[in-house]
Amino acid sequence: MPTHPRPAALPSRLPDLHALQSAFARRSLLRGAGAVGAVGALSACGSDDAGGGGDGEATTLGSRFGDEVPRAAEDAVIAAFTEASGIEVTPNVQDNETFQESINSYLQGNPDDVFTWFAGFRGRFFDDQGLVGDLTDVWTDIEDGFTPAFKEASSNGDKQILVPVLNYPWAVFYRKSLFEENGYTVPETRDDLIALCEQVQADGLVPFAFGDADGWPAMGTFDILNMRLNGYDFHISLMAGDEDWDGDEVRAVFEEWATLLPFHQEDPVGRTWQDAAASLLQKESAMYILGMFVGEQFPEGEERDDLDFFTFPALDDEIGNGALDAPIDGYMMVADPQDEAAAKDFLRFLGSKEAGELFLAENPNNIAAHLEADTSGYSALQQKAAELIGSAENIAQFLDRDTRPDFASTIVIPALQKFLQDPEDIDGVLTDLQAGKERLFVEEG
């Protein structure tokens, strides 16, 4: 994993901490006077109608942001919140993969009050099990900052369960200078893409960087091929367990993938996504299908500014290329927090434009979820990402967010890695996927 300097903060985009301090001070006074609800959003915060214990002075956070860049961003948000509110936040940090793999046991054990998680099906799954808290009252205060689509993605029915902070697109990333030096052009069709891959190989480079040691990166390739070949509606229906995984549609996805796989780095199961990103950075690979967080592996400045992307071309003219993955990252509260008042105050802050700006100041490899966040400091890549997401015909969250967590982790990851190690055994992969779908979606419900 390459190391690089922590990106410098962008002072012009940082929130006015004095204003935040004043707001929280006013909230505390009003809470004490029994006047909560008489003024705006911050005045609605507090413990008057909150369940759970605690005195509203401290909360805990379970975080998957163990990597350097997102860790710095979350630490900056925590520091700003504590400075403004006086409420202490104790983070419990793990690496991303460990956090996600242990989430079931974590939530059923002794979890922290607030935890990092995802919008969509993957959040609703835990709400359906009674493991997460109701944030509908928090959303009453923050709703004006988000589009209806973000609210829907953060809800389970009429109940809000997640506070969104960031999102980002999955696309095909490349270095502009490498394309310019070699005369490569962005492919607009499948034939263009194949021709480009053949030219890249002839030039002694690897067309696609690829690392799937963590299991989830290959899901991005599956998602885009499935949406390009079978359409967004089929993809979402498949994720919900309403389609067969051993049918002709999914078979076509793996057959197309088997055709493209020789253009990827070999042995992806033994390589992390960070090491694959390093090959893109070092111009050993020409392209990489990944989320915009690939920029975390590029040093700030000339090399990060060299990063660009295009959407995967259409594979069926009737379906087109208007669908993409654009996951929403956010925070949830556990069902029985130690200090619900403090947890909800922290979540309201996380749902503010100031929190979004702080995240992006430290980690400019996403775009802000909040409508009023200052985008004047966006890089060209961030602006392009915002335009892409804004113009997308359909937006999926990501395979492991659009389906059951247990199906994604115990069935899909082994099946995809089995395919990557033996792409000729498509029948075996489809059989495993269908058997897993029937067991988890049909037999266990």
Side-chain angles (χ1 to χ4, degrees):
M1 173 177 172
T3 58
H4 53 82
R6 202 175 106 181
L10 302 178
S12 62
R13 297 170 58 196
L14 295 177
D16 183 344
L17 293 181
H18 293 297
L20 289 172
Q21 288 173 321
S22 298
F24 274 97
R26 184 173 70 253
R27 175 189 61 81
S28 297
L29 290 172
L30 289 170
R31 182 195 294 174
V36 174
V39 294
L42 284 174
S43 69
C45 305
S47 60
D48 294 49
D49 58 354
D55 54 10
E57 301 301 329
T59 188
T60 56
L61 168 65
S63 176
R64 64 184 179 85
F65 292 141
D67 285 355
E68 179 185 1
V69 175
R71 182 70 255 132
E74 192 172 70
D75 283 343
V77 171
I78 291 172
F81 171 70
T82 298
E83 183 176 350
S85 67
I87 297 173
E88 296 291 333
V89 178
T90 302
N92 171 21
V93 182
Q94 299 183 47
D95 67 87
N96 180 53
E97 281 68 35
T98 301
F99 189 87
Q100 292 196 47
E101 290 170 2
S102 61
I103 187 67
N104 277 296
S105 57
Y106 170 77
L107 289 178
Q108 296 180 63
N110 184 28
D112 301 285
D113 288 356
V114 178
F115 65 101
T116 52
W117 204 239
F118 315 112
F121 190 99
R122 208 171 178 193
R124 296 176 190 126
F125 178 81
F126 293 117
D127 183 50
D128 290 341
Q129 297 182 57
L131 296 174
V132 301
D134 185 348
L135 302 181
T136 303
D137 57 341
V138 171
W139 266 86
T140 300
D141 301 327
I142 67 174
E143 184 168 357
D144 290 346
F146 300 95
T147 66
F150 271 82
K151 181 177 181 180
E152 180 180 357
S154 304
S155 302
N156 191 12
D158 294 331
K159 180 172 67 175
Q160 283 69 62
I161 56 174
L162 177 134
V163 172
V165 177
L166 304 169
N167 81 319
Y168 53 88
W170 274 65
V172 184
F173 288 84
Y174 66 98
R175 291 195 64 165
K176 291 180 286 188
S177 62
L178 180 70
F179 270 46
E180 292 169 1
E181 292 162 5
N182 292 279
Y184 304 151
T185 57
V186 171
E188 296 182 358
T189 67
R190 182 186 184 278
D191 288 345
D192 291 345
L193 179 64
I194 297 299
L196 174 59
C197 290
E198 291 173 343
Q199 182 60 55
V200 171
Q201 279 187 330
D203 292 339
L205 304 175
V206 179
F208 283 103
F210 198 17
D212 195 51
D214 299 318
W216 54 264
M219 295 176 179
T221 302
F222 177 88
D223 281 1
I224 200 63
L225 293 179
N226 193 32
M227 286 190 279
R228 292 292 182 268
L229 288 168
N230 299 312
Y232 171 82
D233 290 342
F234 176 85
H235 178 70
I236 294 302
S237 183
L238 181 70
M239 296 298 107
D242 295 330
E243 307 286 349
D244 288 335
W245 281 81
D246 60 353
D248 291 342
E249 294 87 351
V250 179
R251 177 181 296 278
V253 171
F254 283 102
E255 289 176 346
E256 177 68 13
W257 201 349
T259 300
L260 297 173
L261 206 53
F263 297 122
H264 289 66
Q265 281 183 300
E266 296 180 350
D267 303 323
V269 176
R271 185 181 300 107
T272 67
W273 73 264
Q274 293 95 335
D275 286 340
S279 76
L280 188 70
L281 171 65
Q282 296 161 5
K283 297 187 176 180
E284 297 170 350
S285 299
M287 297 171 282
Y288 193 8
I289 301 173
L290 201 73
M292 201 168 83
F293 54 84
V294 67
E296 295 174 9
Q297 305 304 310
F298 280 60
E300 183 183 18
E302 181 179 347
E303 290 173 303
R304 187 178 294 171
D305 293 342
D306 194 34
L307 199 58
D308 202 349
F309 68 80
F310 60 86
T311 56
F312 198 91
L315 298 176
D316 183 321
D317 290 341
E318 293 186 2
I319 293 175
N321 66 343
L324 74 154
D325 277 332
I328 299 172
D329 289 354
Y331 292 81
M332 303 178 79
M333 184 180 73
V334 298
D336 187 22
Q338 293 296 310
D339 193 327
E340 182 171 337
K344 287 188 172 179
D345 274 355
F346 184 43
L347 285 158
R348 287 183 175 90
F349 181 76
L350 289 166
S352 68
K353 73 180 187 69
E354 290 83 3
E357 291 166 358
L358 280 166
F359 267 108
L360 293 180
E362 293 285 346
N363 184 10
N365 301 293
N366 303 275
I367 58 177
H370 199 285
L371 287 169
E372 298 177 0
D374 182 7
T375 61
S376 62
Y378 270 13
S379 66
L381 196 71
Q382 287 174 298
Q383 292 174 0
K384 187 174 181 178
E387 291 169 2
L388 174 65
I389 293 174
S391 63
E393 294 174 7
N394 301 107
I395 294 177
Q397 287 299 302
F398 195 66
L399 192 153
D400 65 2
R401 306 182 185 203
D402 287 326
T403 192
R404 291 176 57 124
D406 49 358
F407 182 65
S409 61
T410 66
I411 305 299
V412 176
I413 286 178
L416 296 189
Q417 292 193 330
K418 178 180 179 180
F419 166 74
L420 296 176
Q421 293 170 321
D422 183 8
E424 294 185 357
D425 186 20
I426 294 177
D427 286 340
V429 172
L430 297 181
T431 298
D432 290 349
L433 288 166
Q434 180 65 13
K437 174 251 182 173
E438 290 177 353
R439 176 167 61 83
L440 293 178
F441 284 91
V442 179
E443 297 174 12
E444 297 184 14

